[in-house]
Amino acid sequence: MNLLYLYYLFAKIAIFTYGGGYAMIPLFENELVVKHAYLTSAEFANLVALAQITPGPIGLNAATYIGMLQGGFAGALAATLGLISPALIITMLAAVFLKKMSGNKTVQTILCGIRPCMLGIIAAAVIFFANTSVFSAPLSNLWNNKQFGLCWQGCLIFAITFAIQWKWKPNVVWLLIGACALGAIL
């Protein structure tokens, strides 16, 4: 893959994403799986899982990994720079104009419109994770013998993790280690 195009692809994702790495997941999936078929759905699900458990932001980890797959070290560098350069530029511009624009009604109105949009994009990421972890194994429905995809192992890990996080709020690293161990056992 052309390094300039790799830079452009990840810069485009970064420009149109507001809300962090999880908001990037639907855009990554659309560009890398649906449009260009650089990855299969299963490979993309594995990539997202690996990007979550490695240190650093999920979007940056994913971009670096995909860049490495597509163009080696130079591809990893191009994809990573493509992902971070729009944020650096926008952050620098925002810092310059923050004092002037902090009380601006137009800016406040724009941010009020962006928040629900980002909630929708993050909800799309939740649906992606549910499809790849909980709704991934076909089982028969006992009542009408129709097939639906429900992975009891994924449901169990989700329920246990959710309950532990809700009740005790431990460090996420321990939840990930426990989920990995439980996944290996199940």
Side-chain angles (χ1 to χ4, degrees):
M1 175 188 291
N2 182 340
L3 295 178
L4 189 58
Y5 184 74
L6 199 56
Y7 176 88
Y8 164 76
L9 180 66
F10 286 96
K12 180 173 73 167
I13 290 171
I15 288 169
F16 293 109
T17 303
Y18 182 83
Y22 290 109
M24 289 180 177
I25 291 170
L27 295 172
F28 277 155
E29 182 181 26
N30 186 49
E31 289 290 333
L32 302 169
V33 177
V34 177
K35 279 188 180 177
H36 301 291
Y38 294 139
L39 300 169
T40 66
S41 291
E43 289 171 332
F44 183 71
N46 290 336
L47 160 73
V48 171
L50 284 172
Q52 286 180 328
I53 62 172
T54 54
I58 186 172
L60 190 61
N61 292 342
T64 304
Y65 179 75
I66 293 165
M68 183 66 88
L69 286 178
Q70 297 297 319
F73 180 78
L77 187 63
T80 302
L81 289 175
L83 193 74
I84 65 172
S85 58
L88 288 174
I89 293 167
I90 291 169
T91 302
M92 290 166 65
L93 290 174
V96 170
F97 297 107
L98 185 62
K99 283 276 191 202
K100 294 178 186 176
M101 297 173 30
S102 64
N104 187 320
K105 286 286 190 191
T106 304
V107 171
Q108 296 302 318
T109 304
I110 289 169
L111 290 175
C112 284
I114 288 174
R115 287 183 197 119
C117 173
M118 292 319 303
L119 180 61
I121 291 174
I122 292 170
V126 168
I127 291 169
F128 167 78
F129 286 123
N131 282 334
T132 60
S133 61
V134 177
F135 302 112
S136 60
L139 298 173
S140 293
N141 184 331
L142 297 175
W143 295 276
N144 58 12
N145 207 21
K146 289 189 178 177
Q147 296 285 319
F148 68 99
L150 185 63
C151 176
W152 69 268
Q153 297 95 333
C155 290
L156 181 64
I157 292 170
F158 168 77
I160 291 170
T161 304
F162 182 79
I164 290 171
Q165 179 63 29
W166 184 270
K167 177 104 172 127
W168 295 290
K169 297 180 182 23
N171 188 319
V172 176
V173 172
W174 292 113
L175 285 175
L176 287 171
I177 291 170
C180 288
L182 193 54
I185 292 168
L186 296 174

